[in-house]
Amino acid sequence: MDTILSLIGEKSADALFIMKRRTFIKQTSEMAGGLALLPFIPGRGGSADQDYPITHQHLWDLERFPLSWVKPPLSKSFLMDDYREAVENQNVVKAIYMEVAVPSEQRKEEALWALALCEDPENPTVAAVIRAHPTDSDFESYMNSFEGNPNLKGIRYFFGNEEEILLPQVIKNIRLLGEMGLSFD
């Protein structure tokens, strides 16, 4: 929620949040795109009677990032043109890029690619949640390499087990995210 608020405007304790969910099942590519409708914030950036939907998006370029998890029926790249087609006529005006589990050695390349998407005014991508490993000893250095990028809103990581969450390195690195104003998904 904080990521969305930071994208749309200032936090307000008395803000009215209207939660809406829609399923975009217009075609198979929509499901492949992993679209998930996030909360609406009424009246932000426009008239008070209009809602502005935001989705998160998963885009993947199999020529750039060979993904071991991609198998039929998702055996092709899903890029911005595919995303645009998937959300056509859906009143989606902004999107948050969500990492797609590229191999660890390519996570920085994916992050830079996603952040570049955010810079392109021709597409709806306005923010990115990238892959980072809070278990890594070089986590702080990795995150500092993105310091000051207004389009980076957080990281996503899947823990292998419950014990990992309590590792001192992980606790230190999650605190660092908070200090940087970034979310952890």
Side-chain angles (χ1 to χ4, degrees):
M1 183 61 72
D2 288 336
T3 299
I4 294 166
L5 286 172
S6 66
L7 285 173
I8 297 172
E10 70 184 60
K11 294 180 188 178
S12 173
D14 60 348
L16 173 64
F17 295 102
I18 299 173
M19 302 297 284
K20 293 184 178 181
R21 299 190 78 173
R22 293 193 180 142
T23 305
F24 301 120
I25 309 178
K26 192 170 100 182
Q27 56 188 263
T28 303
S29 63
E30 289 177 276
M31 292 171 61
L35 301 177
L37 194 59
L38 298 176
F40 291 80
I41 310 297
R44 299 287 184 150
S47 65
D49 62 344
Q50 192 171 18
D51 291 336
Y52 295 95
I54 300 174
T55 69
H56 82 260
Q57 63 185 190
H58 297 282
L59 304 176
W60 56 88
D61 181 344
L62 295 178
E63 289 182 29
R64 182 182 301 226
F65 306 112
L67 302 172
S68 63
W69 59 264
V70 174
K71 296 175 177 39
L74 306 178
S75 57
K76 71 175 199 81
S77 295
F78 188 87
L79 300 171
M80 188 56 70
D81 286 342
D82 302 301
Y83 174 78
R84 283 188 185 108
E85 183 179 333
V87 299
E88 187 176 31
N89 301 317
Q90 299 298 318
N91 191 33
V92 173
V93 296
K94 294 182 182 178
I96 301 168
Y97 178 87
M98 184 67 66
E99 64 86 24
V100 294
V102 300
S104 291
E105 63 274 6
Q106 289 189 299
R107 68 181 174 188
K108 180 126 188 200
E109 183 183 348
E110 180 202 19
L112 294 172
W113 181 66
L115 293 168
L117 288 172
C118 299
E119 297 294 324
D120 182 354
E122 297 298 314
N123 71 58
T125 310
V126 296
V129 174
I130 64 170
R131 179 82 167 189
H133 297 206
T135 56
D136 289 352
S137 59
D138 69 343
F139 181 84
E140 184 171 0
S141 171
Y142 179 74
M143 294 309 300
N144 284 336
S145 71
F146 302 107
E147 190 171 12
N149 189 313
N151 300 314
L152 178 60
K153 301 303 176 184
I155 71 156
R156 184 165 88 150
Y157 177 76
F158 296 99
F159 289 103
N161 58 58
E162 291 177 21
E163 290 77 28
E164 261 189 331
I165 298 169
L166 300 175
L167 292 173
Q169 182 73 40
V170 170
I171 294 168
K172 174 186 171 223
N173 289 336
I174 298 298
R175 283 185 178 143
L176 173 68
L177 287 176
E179 292 166 11
M180 296 176 80
L182 299 174
S183 70
F184 176 78
D185 290 56

mmCIF file of all heavy atoms in Angstrom, residues 95-136:
data_model
loop_
_atom_site.group_PDB
_atom_site.id
_atom_site.type_symbol
_atom_site.label_atom_id
_atom_site.label_comp_id
_atom_site.label_asym_id
_atom_site.label_seq_id
_atom_site.Cartn_x
_atom_site.Cartn_y
_atom_site.Cartn_z
ATOM 1 N N ALA A 95 1.379 1.211 -14.214
ATOM 2 C CA ALA A 95 1.759 -0.145 -13.853
ATOM 3 C C ALA A 95 3.051 -0.132 -13.052
ATOM 4 O O ALA A 95 3.899 0.744 -13.231
ATOM 5 C CB ALA A 95 1.937 -0.999 -15.106
ATOM 6 N N ILE A 96 3.177 -1.109 -12.181
ATOM 7 C CA ILE A 96 4.392 -1.311 -11.392
ATOM 8 C C ILE A 96 5.033 -2.602 -11.884
ATOM 9 O O ILE A 96 4.406 -3.663 -11.845
ATOM 10 C CB ILE A 96 4.061 -1.432 -9.894
ATOM 11 C CG1 ILE A 96 3.356 -0.178 -9.404
ATOM 12 C CG2 ILE A 96 5.330 -1.723 -9.089
ATOM 13 C CD1 ILE A 96 2.742 -0.314 -8.028
ATOM 14 N N TYR A 97 6.266 -2.497 -12.350
ATOM 15 C CA TYR A 97 6.988 -3.682 -12.801
ATOM 16 C C TYR A 97 7.323 -4.542 -11.586
ATOM 17 O O TYR A 97 7.834 -4.060 -10.590
ATOM 18 C CB TYR A 97 8.284 -3.290 -13.528
ATOM 19 C CG TYR A 97 9.082 -4.495 -13.954
ATOM 20 C CD1 TYR A 97 8.836 -5.107 -15.170
ATOM 21 C CD2 TYR A 97 10.046 -5.030 -13.118
ATOM 22 C CE1 TYR A 97 9.550 -6.227 -15.562
ATOM 23 C CE2 TYR A 97 10.765 -6.153 -13.494
ATOM 24 C CZ TYR A 97 10.515 -6.743 -14.706
ATOM 25 O OH TYR A 97 11.213 -7.851 -15.085
ATOM 26 N N MET A 98 7.052 -5.828 -11.693
ATOM 27 C CA MET A 98 7.383 -6.781 -10.637
ATOM 28 C C MET A 98 8.369 -7.788 -11.201
ATOM 29 O O MET A 98 8.132 -8.371 -12.267
ATOM 30 C CB MET A 98 6.113 -7.477 -10.151
ATOM 31 C CG MET A 98 6.313 -8.421 -9.001
ATOM 32 S SD MET A 98 6.781 -7.643 -7.445
ATOM 33 C CE MET A 98 5.317 -6.702 -7.062
ATOM 34 N N GLU A 99 9.462 -7.989 -10.500
ATOM 35 C CA GLU A 99 10.529 -8.882 -10.969
ATOM 36 C C GLU A 99 9.980 -10.247 -11.352
ATOM 37 O O GLU A 99 8.935 -10.655 -10.884
ATOM 38 C CB GLU A 99 11.607 -9.001 -9.893
ATOM 39 C CG GLU A 99 11.156 -9.637 -8.600
ATOM 40 C CD GLU A 99 11.231 -11.144 -8.616
ATOM 41 O OE1 GLU A 99 12.015 -11.720 -9.387
ATOM 42 O OE2 GLU A 99 10.481 -11.765 -7.853
ATOM 43 N N VAL A 100 10.749 -10.956 -12.205
ATOM 44 C CA VAL A 100 10.262 -12.231 -12.730
ATOM 45 C C VAL A 100 11.201 -13.407 -12.453
ATOM 46 O O VAL A 100 11.208 -14.384 -13.193
ATOM 47 C CB VAL A 100 9.959 -12.139 -14.251
ATOM 48 C CG1 VAL A 100 8.797 -11.211 -14.520
ATOM 49 C CG2 VAL A 100 11.195 -11.754 -15.045
ATOM 50 N N ALA A 101 11.970 -13.334 -11.380
ATOM 51 C CA ALA A 101 12.825 -14.453 -10.963
ATOM 52 C C ALA A 101 13.835 -14.853 -12.030
ATOM 53 O O ALA A 101 13.942 -16.024 -12.401
ATOM 54 C CB ALA A 101 11.984 -15.644 -10.511
ATOM 55 N N VAL A 102 14.565 -13.861 -12.508
ATOM 56 C CA VAL A 102 15.657 -14.169 -13.432
ATOM 57 C C VAL A 102 16.761 -14.874 -12.653
ATOM 58 O O VAL A 102 16.804 -14.811 -11.418
ATOM 59 C CB VAL A 102 16.205 -12.884 -14.111
ATOM 60 C CG1 VAL A 102 15.128 -12.166 -14.897
ATOM 61 C CG2 VAL A 102 16.880 -11.963 -13.123
ATOM 62 N N PRO A 103 17.696 -15.534 -13.337
ATOM 63 C CA PRO A 103 18.828 -16.137 -12.628
ATOM 64 C C PRO A 103 19.575 -15.069 -11.817
ATOM 65 O O PRO A 103 19.657 -13.906 -12.215
ATOM 66 C CB PRO A 103 19.703 -16.687 -13.763
ATOM 67 C CG PRO A 103 18.755 -16.894 -14.903
ATOM 68 C CD PRO A 103 17.730 -15.803 -14.777
ATOM 69 N N SER A 104 20.105 -15.450 -10.677
ATOM 70 C CA SER A 104 20.753 -14.500 -9.765
ATOM 71 C C SER A 104 21.799 -13.634 -10.438
ATOM 72 O O SER A 104 21.909 -12.441 -10.146
ATOM 73 C CB SER A 104 21.392 -15.238 -8.583
ATOM 74 O OG SER A 104 20.403 -15.775 -7.762
ATOM 75 N N GLU A 105 22.559 -14.225 -11.350
ATOM 76 C CA GLU A 105 23.616 -13.451 -12.006
ATOM 77 C C GLU A 105 23.065 -12.380 -12.953
ATOM 78 O O GLU A 105 23.805 -11.512 -13.405
ATOM 79 C CB GLU A 105 24.599 -14.367 -12.748
ATOM 80 C CG GLU A 105 24.006 -15.163 -13.878
ATOM 81 C CD GLU A 105 23.379 -16.490 -13.452
ATOM 82 O OE1 GLU A 105 23.284 -16.778 -12.250
ATOM 83 O OE2 GLU A 105 22.981 -17.248 -14.362
ATOM 84 N N GLN A 106 21.754 -12.406 -13.242
ATOM 85 C CA GLN A 106 21.147 -11.414 -14.121
ATOM 86 C C GLN A 106 20.212 -10.450 -13.389
ATOM 87 O O GLN A 106 19.586 -9.607 -14.022
ATOM 88 C CB GLN A 106 20.371 -12.105 -15.239
ATOM 89 C CG GLN A 106 21.266 -12.780 -16.255
ATOM 90 C CD GLN A 106 20.462 -13.251 -17.439
ATOM 91 O OE1 GLN A 106 19.559 -14.073 -17.307
ATOM 92 N NE2 GLN A 106 20.781 -12.715 -18.605
ATOM 93 N N ARG A 107 20.131 -10.542 -12.072
ATOM 94 C CA ARG A 107 19.159 -9.713 -11.353
ATOM 95 C C ARG A 107 19.444 -8.222 -11.501
ATOM 96 O O ARG A 107 18.523 -7.428 -11.603
ATOM 97 C CB ARG A 107 19.051 -10.130 -9.896
ATOM 98 C CG ARG A 107 20.275 -9.849 -9.097
ATOM 99 C CD ARG A 107 20.142 -10.300 -7.681
ATOM 100 N NE ARG A 107 21.446 -10.107 -7.068
ATOM 101 C CZ ARG A 107 21.778 -10.506 -5.899
ATOM 102 N NH1 ARG A 107 20.919 -11.128 -5.150
ATOM 103 N NH2 ARG A 107 22.978 -10.291 -5.437
ATOM 104 N N LYS A 108 20.709 -7.819 -11.537
ATOM 105 C CA LYS A 108 21.012 -6.396 -11.698
ATOM 106 C C LYS A 108 20.623 -5.936 -13.105
ATOM 107 O O LYS A 108 20.058 -4.856 -13.279
ATOM 108 C CB LYS A 108 22.478 -6.102 -11.437
ATOM 109 C CG LYS A 108 22.809 -4.624 -11.600
ATOM 110 C CD LYS A 108 23.466 -4.058 -10.418
ATOM 111 C CE LYS A 108 23.614 -2.560 -10.522
ATOM 112 N NZ LYS A 108 24.617 -2.052 -9.631
ATOM 113 N N GLU A 109 20.910 -6.745 -14.094
ATOM 114 C CA GLU A 109 20.532 -6.408 -15.474
ATOM 115 C C GLU A 109 19.012 -6.261 -15.589
ATOM 116 O O GLU A 109 18.519 -5.338 -16.228
ATOM 117 C CB GLU A 109 21.043 -7.480 -16.438
ATOM 118 C CG GLU A 109 20.759 -7.166 -17.892
ATOM 119 C CD GLU A 109 21.201 -8.283 -18.831
ATOM 120 O OE1 GLU A 109 21.931 -9.205 -18.428
ATOM 121 O OE2 GLU A 109 20.786 -8.211 -20.008
ATOM 122 N N GLU A 110 18.280 -7.181 -14.953
ATOM 123 C CA GLU A 110 16.819 -7.071 -14.982
ATOM 124 C C GLU A 110 16.355 -5.798 -14.289
ATOM 125 O O GLU A 110 15.473 -5.088 -14.765
ATOM 126 C CB GLU A 110 16.149 -8.277 -14.312
ATOM 127 C CG GLU A 110 14.634 -8.159 -14.330
ATOM 128 C CD GLU A 110 13.921 -8.984 -13.273
ATOM 129 O OE1 GLU A 110 14.544 -9.395 -12.280
ATOM 130 O OE2 GLU A 110 12.700 -9.196 -13.441
ATOM 131 N N ALA A 111 16.970 -5.481 -13.148
ATOM 132 C CA ALA A 111 16.592 -4.275 -12.404
ATOM 133 C C ALA A 111 16.822 -3.028 -13.254
ATOM 134 O O ALA A 111 15.959 -2.142 -13.322
ATOM 135 C CB ALA A 111 17.376 -4.186 -11.097
ATOM 136 N N LEU A 112 17.955 -2.957 -13.906
ATOM 137 C CA LEU A 112 18.254 -1.799 -14.750
ATOM 138 C C LEU A 112 17.292 -1.718 -15.934
ATOM 139 O O LEU A 112 16.862 -0.634 -16.326
ATOM 140 C CB LEU A 112 19.708 -1.851 -15.225
ATOM 141 C CG LEU A 112 20.754 -1.693 -14.113
ATOM 142 C CD1 LEU A 112 22.154 -1.966 -14.653
ATOM 143 C CD2 LEU A 112 20.655 -0.336 -13.456
ATOM 144 N N TRP A 113 16.942 -2.864 -16.500
ATOM 145 C CA TRP A 113 15.973 -2.924 -17.600
ATOM 146 C C TRP A 113 14.616 -2.416 -17.128
ATOM 147 O O TRP A 113 13.980 -1.602 -17.796
ATOM 148 C CB TRP A 113 15.904 -4.366 -18.106
ATOM 149 C CG TRP A 113 14.983 -4.615 -19.248
ATOM 150 C CD1 TRP A 113 15.099 -4.146 -20.533
ATOM 151 C CD2 TRP A 113 13.805 -5.426 -19.237
ATOM 152 N NE1 TRP A 113 14.065 -4.620 -21.304
ATOM 153 C CE2 TRP A 113 13.263 -5.413 -20.532
ATOM 154 C CE3 TRP A 113 13.165 -6.178 -18.252
ATOM 155 C CZ2 TRP A 113 12.107 -6.111 -20.882
ATOM 156 C CZ3 TRP A 113 12.017 -6.877 -18.592
ATOM 157 C CH2 TRP A 113 11.491 -6.835 -19.890
ATOM 158 N N ALA A 114 14.180 -2.873 -15.964
ATOM 159 C CA ALA A 114 12.882 -2.453 -15.420
ATOM 160 C C ALA A 114 12.875 -0.957 -15.106
ATOM 161 O O ALA A 114 11.907 -0.254 -15.411
ATOM 162 C CB ALA A 114 12.561 -3.254 -14.163
ATOM 163 N N LEU A 115 13.946 -0.470 -14.530
ATOM 164 C CA LEU A 115 14.012 0.958 -14.205
ATOM 165 C C LEU A 115 14.049 1.808 -15.471
ATOM 166 O O LEU A 115 13.499 2.917 -15.494
ATOM 167 C CB LEU A 115 15.203 1.240 -13.291
ATOM 168 C CG LEU A 115 15.072 0.621 -11.893
ATOM 169 C CD1 LEU A 115 16.392 0.682 -11.147
ATOM 170 C CD2 LEU A 115 13.950 1.284 -11.100
ATOM 171 N N ALA A 116 14.654 1.292 -16.533
ATOM 172 C CA ALA A 116 14.639 2.000 -17.816
ATOM 173 C C ALA A 116 13.223 2.058 -18.385
ATOM 174 O O ALA A 116 12.825 3.066 -18.982
ATOM 175 C CB ALA A 116 15.598 1.337 -18.806
ATOM 176 N N LEU A 117 12.446 0.992 -18.193
ATOM 177 C CA LEU A 117 11.040 1.013 -18.622
ATOM 178 C C LEU A 117 10.300 2.170 -17.951
ATOM 179 O O LEU A 117 9.463 2.819 -18.566
ATOM 180 C CB LEU A 117 10.335 -0.295 -18.253
ATOM 181 C CG LEU A 117 10.687 -1.547 -19.036
ATOM 182 C CD1 LEU A 117 10.025 -2.765 -18.394
ATOM 183 C CD2 LEU A 117 10.247 -1.406 -20.483
ATOM 184 N N CYS A 118 10.608 2.398 -16.696
ATOM 185 C CA CYS A 118 9.945 3.467 -15.937
ATOM 186 C C CYS A 118 10.272 4.857 -16.481
ATOM 187 O O CYS A 118 9.485 5.787 -16.317
ATOM 188 C CB CYS A 118 10.352 3.409 -14.464
ATOM 189 S SG CYS A 118 9.913 1.881 -13.633
ATOM 190 N N GLU A 119 11.410 4.985 -17.105
ATOM 191 C CA GLU A 119 11.840 6.270 -17.660
ATOM 192 C C GLU A 119 11.180 6.581 -19.000
ATOM 193 O O GLU A 119 11.195 7.722 -19.445
ATOM 194 C CB GLU A 119 13.363 6.294 -17.828
ATOM 195 C CG GLU A 119 14.135 6.180 -16.535
ATOM 196 C CD GLU A 119 13.935 7.374 -15.631
ATOM 197 O OE1 GLU A 119 13.825 8.511 -16.136
ATOM 198 O OE2 GLU A 119 13.868 7.160 -14.402
ATOM 199 N N ASP A 120 10.624 5.572 -19.634
ATOM 200 C CA ASP A 120 10.044 5.727 -20.966
ATOM 201 C C ASP A 120 8.613 6.254 -20.854
ATOM 202 O O ASP A 120 7.722 5.547 -20.403
ATOM 203 C CB ASP A 120 10.052 4.382 -21.690
ATOM 204 C CG ASP A 120 9.522 4.449 -23.107
ATOM 205 O OD1 ASP A 120 9.029 5.522 -23.538
ATOM 206 O OD2 ASP A 120 9.590 3.419 -23.796
ATOM 207 N N PRO A 121 8.373 7.491 -21.279
ATOM 208 C CA PRO A 121 7.030 8.065 -21.162
ATOM 209 C C PRO A 121 6.004 7.424 -22.099
ATOM 210 O O PRO A 121 4.813 7.677 -21.983
ATOM 211 C CB PRO A 121 7.242 9.540 -21.519
ATOM 212 C CG PRO A 121 8.455 9.553 -22.381
ATOM 213 C CD PRO A 121 9.318 8.412 -21.898
ATOM 214 N N GLU A 122 6.458 6.554 -22.999
ATOM 215 C CA GLU A 122 5.561 5.905 -23.948
ATOM 216 C C GLU A 122 4.853 4.680 -23.372
ATOM 217 O O GLU A 122 4.044 4.065 -24.044
ATOM 218 C CB GLU A 122 6.334 5.496 -25.207
ATOM 219 C CG GLU A 122 6.918 6.668 -25.960
ATOM 220 C CD GLU A 122 5.855 7.631 -26.473
ATOM 221 O OE1 GLU A 122 4.848 7.145 -27.044
ATOM 222 O OE2 GLU A 122 6.014 8.838 -26.278
ATOM 223 N N ASN A 123 5.197 4.303 -22.157
ATOM 224 C CA ASN A 123 4.523 3.149 -21.568
ATOM 225 C C ASN A 123 4.013 3.493 -20.173
ATOM 226 O O ASN A 123 4.427 4.480 -19.583
ATOM 227 C CB ASN A 123 5.431 1.911 -21.581
ATOM 228 C CG ASN A 123 6.560 2.007 -20.597
ATOM 229 O OD1 ASN A 123 6.346 2.162 -19.400
ATOM 230 N ND2 ASN A 123 7.786 1.902 -21.076
ATOM 231 N N PRO A 124 3.124 2.669 -19.623
ATOM 232 C CA PRO A 124 2.504 2.986 -18.344
ATOM 233 C C PRO A 124 3.335 2.622 -17.116
ATOM 234 O O PRO A 124 2.922 2.898 -15.987
ATOM 235 C CB PRO A 124 1.215 2.155 -18.374
ATOM 236 C CG PRO A 124 1.569 0.966 -19.193
ATOM 237 C CD PRO A 124 2.507 1.495 -20.255
ATOM 238 N N THR A 125 4.497 2.013 -17.299
ATOM 239 C CA THR A 125 5.293 1.569 -16.165
ATOM 240 C C THR A 125 5.914 2.771 -15.453
ATOM 241 O O THR A 125 6.686 3.516 -16.045
ATOM 242 C CB THR A 125 6.397 0.598 -16.620
ATOM 243 O OG1 THR A 125 5.806 -0.411 -17.434
ATOM 244 C CG2 THR A 125 7.097 -0.035 -15.441
ATOM 245 N N VAL A 126 5.553 2.950 -14.189
ATOM 246 C CA VAL A 126 6.002 4.125 -13.439
ATOM 247 C C VAL A 126 6.856 3.776 -12.224
ATOM 248 O O VAL A 126 7.399 4.667 -11.579
ATOM 249 C CB VAL A 126 4.804 4.987 -12.981
ATOM 250 C CG1 VAL A 126 4.060 5.558 -14.182
ATOM 251 C CG2 VAL A 126 3.869 4.205 -12.075
ATOM 252 N N ALA A 127 6.972 2.490 -11.919
ATOM 253 C CA ALA A 127 7.743 2.074 -10.750
ATOM 254 C C ALA A 127 8.163 0.625 -10.921
ATOM 255 O O ALA A 127 7.623 -0.101 -11.751
ATOM 256 C CB ALA A 127 6.918 2.231 -9.486
ATOM 257 N N ALA A 128 9.136 0.210 -10.093
ATOM 258 C CA ALA A 128 9.625 -1.163 -10.174
ATOM 259 C C ALA A 128 9.879 -1.730 -8.790
ATOM 260 O O ALA A 128 10.351 -1.030 -7.893
ATOM 261 C CB ALA A 128 10.908 -1.219 -11.002
ATOM 262 N N VAL A 129 9.563 -3.001 -8.653
ATOM 263 C CA VAL A 129 9.945 -3.804 -7.501
ATOM 264 C C VAL A 129 10.886 -4.857 -8.069
ATOM 265 O O VAL A 129 10.506 -5.643 -8.933
ATOM 266 C CB VAL A 129 8.717 -4.452 -6.817
ATOM 267 C CG1 VAL A 129 9.149 -5.399 -5.716
ATOM 268 C CG2 VAL A 129 7.781 -3.373 -6.282
ATOM 269 N N ILE A 130 12.140 -4.820 -7.620
ATOM 270 C CA ILE A 130 13.186 -5.641 -8.216
ATOM 271 C C ILE A 130 13.520 -6.841 -7.333
ATOM 272 O O ILE A 130 13.115 -6.914 -6.176
ATOM 273 C CB ILE A 130 14.459 -4.809 -8.485
ATOM 274 C CG1 ILE A 130 15.057 -4.289 -7.170
ATOM 275 C CG2 ILE A 130 14.158 -3.670 -9.461
ATOM 276 C CD1 ILE A 130 16.430 -3.655 -7.311
ATOM 277 N N ARG A 131 14.295 -7.739 -7.882
ATOM 278 C CA ARG A 131 14.779 -8.904 -7.138
ATOM 279 C C ARG A 131 16.046 -8.512 -6.388
ATOM 280 O O ARG A 131 16.959 -7.915 -6.954
ATOM 281 C CB ARG A 131 15.084 -10.037 -8.109
ATOM 282 C CG ARG A 131 15.622 -11.291 -7.488
ATOM 283 C CD ARG A 131 14.508 -12.104 -6.944
ATOM 284 N NE ARG A 131 14.993 -13.442 -6.615
ATOM 285 C CZ ARG A 131 14.175 -14.398 -6.284
ATOM 286 N NH1 ARG A 131 12.884 -14.192 -6.260
ATOM 287 N NH2 ARG A 131 14.639 -15.576 -5.972
ATOM 288 N N ALA A 132 16.096 -8.854 -5.124
ATOM 289 C CA ALA A 132 17.296 -8.680 -4.310
ATOM 290 C C ALA A 132 17.266 -9.754 -3.239
ATOM 291 O O ALA A 132 16.196 -10.200 -2.827
ATOM 292 C CB ALA A 132 17.341 -7.294 -3.690
ATOM 293 N N HIS A 133 18.427 -10.155 -2.777
ATOM 294 C CA HIS A 133 18.538 -11.246 -1.810
ATOM 295 C C HIS A 133 18.996 -10.686 -0.461
ATOM 296 O O HIS A 133 20.198 -10.445 -0.284
ATOM 297 C CB HIS A 133 19.525 -12.290 -2.297
ATOM 298 C CG HIS A 133 19.121 -12.955 -3.569
ATOM 299 N ND1 HIS A 133 19.534 -14.200 -3.910
ATOM 300 C CD2 HIS A 133 18.326 -12.558 -4.596
ATOM 301 C CE1 HIS A 133 19.036 -14.557 -5.079
ATOM 302 N NE2 HIS A 133 18.297 -13.553 -5.514
ATOM 303 N N PRO A 134 18.088 -10.492 0.488
ATOM 304 C CA PRO A 134 18.500 -9.957 1.788
ATOM 305 C C PRO A 134 19.383 -10.916 2.581
ATOM 306 O O PRO A 134 19.931 -10.540 3.609
ATOM 307 C CB PRO A 134 17.178 -9.690 2.504
ATOM 308 C CG PRO A 134 16.175 -10.534 1.824
ATOM 309 C CD PRO A 134 16.650 -10.711 0.414
ATOM 310 N N THR A 135 19.567 -12.121 2.077
ATOM 311 C CA THR A 135 20.464 -13.076 2.717
ATOM 312 C C THR A 135 21.920 -12.846 2.302
ATOM 313 O O THR A 135 22.832 -13.373 2.931
ATOM 314 C CB THR A 135 20.071 -14.516 2.340
ATOM 315 O OG1 THR A 135 20.063 -14.629 0.914
ATOM 316 C CG2 THR A 135 18.687 -14.860 2.883
ATOM 317 N N ASP A 136 22.142 -12.055 1.257
ATOM 318 C CA ASP A 136 23.489 -11.840 0.725
ATOM 319 C C ASP A 136 24.263 -10.812 1.545
ATOM 320 O O ASP A 136 23.713 -9.783 1.965
ATOM 321 C CB ASP A 136 23.435 -11.354 -0.723
ATOM 322 C CG ASP A 136 22.992 -12.439 -1.689
ATOM 323 O OD1 ASP A 136 22.868 -13.614 -1.275
ATOM 324 O OD2 ASP A 136 22.753 -12.101 -2.867
#
